[in-house]
Amino acid sequence: MAPIHIDESTGSDTTGTGTPDQPYQSLAFALFTHGSSDGFLTRKDSSGTYEEPTQSSLKKAKKTADGLEKKRKKQEELAEQKAKAQGDEQEKREKLLEESKKIVLTEDASLPSAKKAKISQLSDLRSQRVRVFGWVHRLRSQKGIIFVVLRDGTGYLQTVLSGVVSQTYDALTLTLESSIELVGTLQVVPEGKTAPGGHELIVDYWKVVGAAPGADDAFSNRLNEKSDPSIQADLRHLVIRGETASSVLRLRAYLLSAFRDSLVNHHLLEVTPPCLVQTQVEGGATLFSLNYYGQPAYLTQSSQLYLETCLPSLGDVFCVQESFRAENSHTRRHLSEYTHLEAELAFISFDDLMDHIETIICETVDQLLANPVSAGLIQQLNPGFKAPERPFKRMSYFDAIAWLVDHGIKHAAEDAEGNAILDESGQAKMVDHVVGDDIAEAAERQMTDIIGTPVFLHSFPAELKAFYMKKLPAEEGAKTVYTESCDLLMPNVGEIVGGSMRISDMEELLAAYKREGIDSAPYYWFTDQRKYGTCEHGGYGLGVERFLAWLANRYTVRECSLYPRWPGRATP
């Protein structure tokens, strides 16, 4: 029989096997493992030689080994007791389930007729018998009583199942996200206790409408707060059942309604432009193209051109429409498809345009804060939110470049092809901003976060903006031509609105087409607005998801869209 080796310095009682290469660390563990006092070789450290243990060390180790054996037997006994208890519990559970199958609930016809209602409508039905439907949002069982928090999309309701209604087979096997029908008496919660709405339902009859799976396929096993972002994206249809996600989407609905109210109050009419188009607005590089009955067509980048055509017949107009940008951008404020709130106004000046944008945003926020429901959602998602103060700060592009330089905010240098220039260490070379630079997202956000209030950046160079934007009169000899354009920046998000005055002169517009290499023929209907009674006019586009990200303090606009789309993601 090969000797058992013990090295007290480098051996291991966890991974050791007793060989010279994998010795044990203690003689006691070797005795406990092999049960014999013969054939052991020990050493104090790896520099020494293996020798037989002394009788005194064997005696001491034997005592420790006996203790280890007693501990092992105790653990075995506990394991057996636990297994038996689990078996008894399982047997008791199975017996209980079999007995529960004999219980058949029927609605008591002698009780007052139950009034069917949504959870949000229950406040006026206290002390009455009601019928509600929804999904099991939370579930807890305690001493034979089952507590269910029901969710129906309009709110949450605490419900109590006790007595026979908690003893049915369906009650004992109820799972999260099952859809159920509950009937009972709505009661105010006892003093000192809290519940959604301040009341709870004491159930006297209920049934399962659609059972959700348990075990490995249970809702909480498929999705939880620690789930990987890619899994959460794949399971977006389940994510939106959560309290935070659903609150964001609910606030979005109130936001759109408030925007519409504000715009209508300022005499703008809502129209619905097409999403399938054959012209570009913001440059051909970001167009999603498709074959439209054998003709080239695109998903719209903006509805602006169509809104302009409505001014002579409908007056000032707006739309809430999806826009599409084929930018391979993965930043937290970019989407490939987003909700675009756009407006066009006639017979205005550039100052009028910025005043209008500021007014609509402030009145919309005020309306949301005046509504107890939407105000509660804002407080839940963004505690301490305060409406922005007016007037908004206004800063020209030229002054913004100087501000960035003064505050040491640099940007990555690029070559003529737009490739990053690297420094000696292989990192992107950072340089100061100069007039003519397009202020990058990171610098823009840094600026806004430092200032801490909404900021209108205005008067951008013409080469940085779209072909249709009206130019400011150029000073004699000036190298840079500026435009009557503006971006509204918000803290934590950056740009949420882009707007400008539009070219009103037909010859100037035709020259703009030519300068940008755009064939004017497909734009005949847009050019005609300058031919048949032109006027000074301007408009803007607001990214609804960006605005919501600011309002609800969300890290990314992906949280602010029902099913967000970004490069590589069009599922589900």
Side-chain angles (χ1 to χ4, degrees):
M1 178 179 174
I4 307 301
H5 294 75
I6 298 98
D7 186 319
E8 295 178 10
S9 62
T10 62
S12 172
D13 289 343
T14 303
T15 60
T17 60
T19 64
D21 293 334
Q22 292 182 295
Y24 293 118
Q25 186 178 37
S26 69
L27 180 57
F29 188 79
L31 280 167
F32 165 70
T33 303
H34 295 276
S36 171
S37 58
D38 297 327
F40 293 106
L41 296 175
T42 67
R43 65 181 181 185
K44 293 290 184 183
D45 55 64
S46 56
S47 63
T49 57
Y50 283 106
E51 298 178 356
E52 291 185 0
T54 63
Q55 287 299 315
S56 61
S57 62
L58 276 171
K59 184 176 180 181
K60 183 178 179 181
K62 182 72 168 60
K63 187 175 181 180
T64 304
D66 289 343
L68 291 173
E69 179 63 17
K70 289 180 181 178
K71 185 177 180 180
R72 182 188 66 79
K73 289 181 178 180
K74 183 65 174 177
Q75 288 175 336
E76 285 182 352
E77 289 175 6
L78 290 173
E80 288 176 4
Q81 292 172 5
K82 184 177 180 181
K84 186 176 183 304
Q86 288 177 339
D88 291 345
E89 186 65 31
Q90 181 64 23
E91 185 178 343
K92 182 180 178 182
R93 168 78 174 171
E94 290 174 358
K95 185 177 180 181
L96 187 63
L97 288 174
E98 282 301 314
E99 289 296 318
S100 70
K101 292 177 182 178
K102 300 175 184 178
I103 302 174
V104 179
L105 288 183
T106 56
E107 190 169 353
D108 191 340
S110 68
L111 293 173
S113 179
K115 296 180 181 179
K116 182 180 176 181
K118 295 287 188 181
I119 291 174
S120 61
Q121 303 167 341
L122 290 176
S123 293
D124 294 334
L125 298 175
R126 289 176 176 175
S127 301
Q128 298 182 48
R129 198 160 174 266
V130 299
R131 186 185 309 274
V132 292
F133 297 80
W135 288 263
V136 177
H137 187 66
R138 291 199 187 92
L139 179 63
R140 178 170 58 92
S141 182
Q142 182 179 343
K143 297 180 180 179
I145 301 175
I146 298 175
F147 298 91
V148 173
V149 174
L150 192 72
R151 181 190 74 244
D152 73 349
T154 72
Y156 301 90
L157 173 65
Q158 181 170 292
T159 69
V160 182
L161 285 69
S162 61
V164 68
V165 295
S166 68
Q167 296 166 8
T168 65
Y169 182 80
D170 283 344
L172 297 179
T173 58
L174 188 60
T175 52
L176 288 175
E177 293 304 321
S178 292
S179 54
I180 58 177
E181 173 187 353
L182 297 169
V183 182
T185 303
L186 190 68
Q187 296 184 354
V188 176
V189 293
E191 188 175 347
K193 294 188 177 181
T194 59
H199 46 236
E200 62 184 5
L201 186 68
I202 308 303
V203 177
D204 58 60
Y205 171 76
W206 76 285
K207 67 179 181 180
V208 173
V209 176
D216 292 342
D217 207 26
F219 184 87
S220 55
N221 286 337
R222 291 194 68 191
L223 182 72
N224 56 59
E225 292 179 354
K226 297 181 180 179
S227 296
D228 185 90
S230 64
I231 293 175
Q232 292 193 29
D234 288 339
L235 299 180
R236 179 67 177 169
H237 60 294
L238 300 181
V239 169
I240 61 177
R241 298 188 181 202
E243 292 177 31
T244 298
S246 62
S247 293
V248 171
L249 295 175
R250 194 177 306 281
L251 179 58
R252 178 188 169 107
Y254 282 100
L255 172 64
L256 289 172
S257 179
F259 262 126
R260 284 187 164 99
D261 287 346
S262 298
L263 289 161
V264 170
N265 287 339
H266 285 269
H267 313 292
L268 276 78
L269 185 74
E270 183 170 6
V271 295
T272 309
C275 281
L276 285 171
V277 300
Q278 292 186 304
T279 51
Q280 67 182 46
V281 182
E282 300 294 339
T286 63
L287 285 168
F288 282 108
S289 60
L290 64 146
N291 185 322
Y292 185 70
Y293 301 106
Q295 302 177 51
Y298 314 101
L299 295 176
T300 186
Q301 300 166 313
S302 166
S303 297
Q304 175 213 317
L305 305 190
Y306 293 95
L307 292 179
E308 287 190 46
T309 69
C310 298
L311 294 176
S313 58
L314 302 175
D316 298 342
V317 291
F318 76 95
C319 72
V320 180
Q321 186 73 281
E322 297 304 288
S323 285
F324 305 84
R325 301 285 172 90
E327 293 179 88
N328 191 20
S329 178
H330 294 264
T331 75
R332 59 189 176 103
R333 69 175 193 175
H334 279 91
L335 292 170
S336 298
E337 175 186 0
Y338 65 98
T339 303
H340 210 174
L341 188 153
E342 298 181 86
E344 290 292 321
L345 301 97
F347 302 104
I348 62 168
S349 68
F350 187 35
D351 283 335
D352 292 337
L353 176 64
M354 287 190 284
D355 288 344
H356 167 85
I357 294 170
E358 180 178 309
T359 297
I360 293 299
I361 284 175
C362 289
E363 290 184 3
T364 296
V365 171
D366 288 344
Q367 184 175 330
L368 289 169
L369 293 176
N371 181 325
V373 178
S374 53
L377 290 169
I378 294 171
Q379 182 60 31
Q380 172 196 335
L381 296 165
N382 189 4
F385 173 84
K386 293 182 180 179
E389 294 184 3
R390 300 177 64 179
F392 292 172
K393 182 179 180 65
R394 298 185 184 186
M395 180 186 295
S396 72
Y397 165 87
F398 187 87
D399 290 339
I401 292 294
W403 190 97
L404 290 169
V405 172
D406 288 345
H407 288 77
I409 298 174
K410 301 178 183 289
H411 70 100
E414 295 181 348
D415 60 23
E417 284 74 39
N419 300 312
I421 298 174
L422 305 182
D423 59 22
E424 295 177 355
S425 65
Q427 301 296 314
K429 184 179 180 180
M430 303 303 290
V431 295
D432 283 329
H433 288 80
V434 296
V435 172
D437 287 342
D438 192 1
I439 301 174
E441 174 192 348
E444 194 176 76
R445 188 183 293 119
Q446 278 184 273
M447 173 193 293
T448 315
D449 290 350
I450 291 171
I451 294 173
T453 60
V455 181
F456 270 118
L457 287 190
H458 63 85
S459 307
F460 291 88
E463 62 266 22
L464 299 180
K465 290 298 179 179
F467 71 92
Y468 52 76
M469 294 188 178
K470 186 178 181 65
K471 296 176 181 59
L472 287 163
E475 296 181 8
E476 187 175 346
K479 294 182 179 180
T480 303
V481 177
Y482 297 94
T483 56
E484 290 190 329
S485 58
C486 62
D487 288 348
L488 178 60
L489 313 182
M490 287 294 194
N492 301 320
V493 178
E495 179 193 345
I496 64 166
V497 179
S500 76
M501 296 298 290
R502 319 307 192 189
I503 293 174
S504 59
D505 180 76
M506 188 170 74
E507 294 304 319
E508 186 180 346
L509 181 60
L510 291 171
Y513 290 140
K514 186 175 181 179
R515 184 180 65 253
E516 296 295 327
I518 297 173
D519 181 6
S520 63
Y523 293 84
Y524 70 93
W525 50 275
F526 180 66
T527 309
D528 273 357
Q529 304 310 307
R530 283 79 182 161
K531 183 177 181 180
Y532 295 94
T534 191
C535 72
E536 293 298 318
H537 64 286
Y540 58 92
L542 177 146
V544 170
E545 288 82 7
R546 290 189 184 183
F547 190 92
L548 183 55
W550 166 72
L551 185 67
N553 194 30
R554 297 298 95 190
Y555 176 74
T556 169
V557 294
R558 296 176 186 179
E559 297 180 56
C560 301
S561 173
L562 180 60
Y563 286 101
R565 302 300 190 228
W566 65 87
R569 169 63 63 176
T571 301

